[in-house]
Amino acid sequence: MAKNDLLGGALWDAYSKKVSERMDNPTHLGVLTEKDAESKNAKLIVADYGAESCGDAVRLYWLVDKDDVIIDAKFKSFGCGTAIASSDMMCELCKGKKVQDAVKITNIDVEHALRDDENTPAVPGQKMHCSVMAYDVIKKAAGMYLGKDAADFEEEIIVCECARVSLATIKEVIKLNDLKTVEEITQYTKAGAFCKSCIKPGGHEKREYYLVDILRDVRAEMEEEKMKNVADASASGNLVFREMTLVQKVKAVEKTIDDTVRPMLIMDGGNMEIIDIKDTSDGHIDVYIRYMGACNGCAAASTGTLFAIESVLQERLDRNIRVLPI
């Protein structure tokens, strides 16, 4: 029976031709032995890695010469066809590289090398994790050769294995761009764009960090930092008007009016009071006032007096203030 019949046409079409070919006819499938190493005056490295999330496993064989160059690479894979194709391409990318350079190969490099064209993913998003095994077994082999722990090659906490996006990167992007949704995080970083396991609990595999939690925590940190800055500015007398609470804004406006306009209004038998202050969607701050006494109904209340009040508030508090008498 054809694979197209087994998998369904639509699903099979989600795999590149390169993946399909390497599933059936992997180029580097096999075993390297000590005898092979001796014949080529090289060192044999054998590394194993298993993915607990899906049960797949891969064994990687390297022959490394005296100059740290990987002169041959083979693999044995126990798992799905995608794991076989990814492992096969991983070996191809390793050959001819120094161990120190091979460890820089990522699962994204493997997946891109398996694409038929640059803009079409080689495998469905839910299978991207299969290429992660290739990345991890390379680290294992490099660690064995260089006498290091595989974790030494991972300097950051990786949240999205598919796109290899770190925790630090996600946090920084959220803060720099004031991101508010997981969809925005994916748009900016590609995290969560493939198997989606890192978005929230309950996905393809269990993760230590999820985008929903990171976003919540970073937004909370941002809000806490904002409130701290407001408090510090308030204590020093340098609080930005727009960042004040409604009560603080009313007090600031009242004080400004008391120091400037109100004495003149009272001299003419009038006065005014602050009714409300609202931030608008177009960036303005509307201050609603009510005229009292002689000012109520005065012709100047909607011209000169209004202009004087608005000007002094714009100058001393915020240039986007508009004064609206009611």
Side-chain angles (χ1 to χ4, degrees), residues 171-217:
K171 286 184 173 182
E172 181 179 12
V173 169
I174 292 172
K175 291 180 179 179
L176 287 177
N177 300 283
D178 192 26
L179 304 187
K180 297 178 176 65
T181 67
V182 169
E183 289 76 16
E184 288 178 325
I185 296 175
T186 301
Q187 180 183 352
Y188 276 79
T189 69
K190 302 304 179 187
F194 299 100
C195 78
K196 304 186 186 305
S197 294
C198 63
I199 293 179
K200 60 182 179 180
H204 178 76
E205 59 181 316
K206 186 177 181 181
R207 306 291 301 161
E208 183 177 358
Y209 294 91
Y210 294 100
L211 298 184
V212 291
D213 298 326
I214 297 170
L215 178 63
R216 178 201 63 214
D217 293 344

Side-chain angles (χ1 to χ4, degrees), residues 6 113 118 128 163 168 173 176 203 209 246 250-252 256 274 284 297 299 307:
L6 287 170
E118 184 178 350
M128 271 295 294
V173 169
L176 287 177
Y209 294 91
L246 177 59
V250 171
K251 288 183 177 180
T256 303
I274 310 301
H284 286 96
F307 177 77

Side-chain angles (χ1 to χ4, degrees), residues 260-275:
T260 56
V261 181
R262 197 183 304 280
M264 293 183 291
L265 298 180
I266 293 175
M267 286 178 59
D268 291 333
N271 207 335
M272 58 167 285
E273 62 177 340
I274 310 301
I275 302 301

Side-chain angles (χ1 to χ4, degrees), residues 2 8 40 47 108 128 130 153 162 166 183 196 218 234 275 290 295 320:
K40 297 184 178 182
I108 294 297
M128 271 295 294
C130 294
F153 299 111
C162 297
S166 71
E183 289 76 16
K196 304 186 186 305
V218 172
S234 180
I275 302 301
R290 177 185 293 131
C295 292
N320 293 306

